[in-house]
Amino acid sequence: MTSKTDEALGYEQARDELIEVVRRLEAGGTTLEESLALWERGEELAKVCRRWLEGARARLDAALAVEGEAEDGE
């Protein structure tokens, strides 16, 4: 479940934290419980990033559609 705090994260913040989570998982040396908590946090952060990217894609698609309509109306 994504928390309200996660929803307020910007793309860059979520991406940077996700990079840190992956780094820590790859480095090893954590307990199973810590690794699971990191994995879960990484999944939440990936969802935040995905939502930002999907939103950006939708905005680009909308802008391109408007531009295409403007060209067709000339």
Side-chain angles (χ1 to χ4, degrees), residues 54-70:
E54 288 169 355
R57 169 59 70 187
R59 289 175 63 188
L60 285 171
D61 289 345
L64 290 172
V66 169
E67 184 179 304
E69 290 172 8

Side-chain angles (χ1 to χ4, degrees), residues 11-27:
Y11 172 77
E12 290 81 5
Q13 292 170 309
R15 181 203 59 211
D16 291 347
E17 187 178 342
L18 179 57
I19 290 168
E20 179 61 20
V21 165
V22 170
R23 187 195 65 72
R24 289 181 61 195
L25 284 169
E26 288 178 340

Side-chain angles (χ1 to χ4, degrees), residues 31-51:
T31 66
L32 177 59
E33 191 64 32
E34 291 168 331
S35 294
L36 288 172
L38 285 168
W39 180 270
E40 290 169 346
R41 181 64 180 151
E43 289 291 327
E44 292 171 4
L45 292 164
K47 288 177 187 175
V48 171
C49 290
R50 194 173 306 116
R51 277 196 303 275

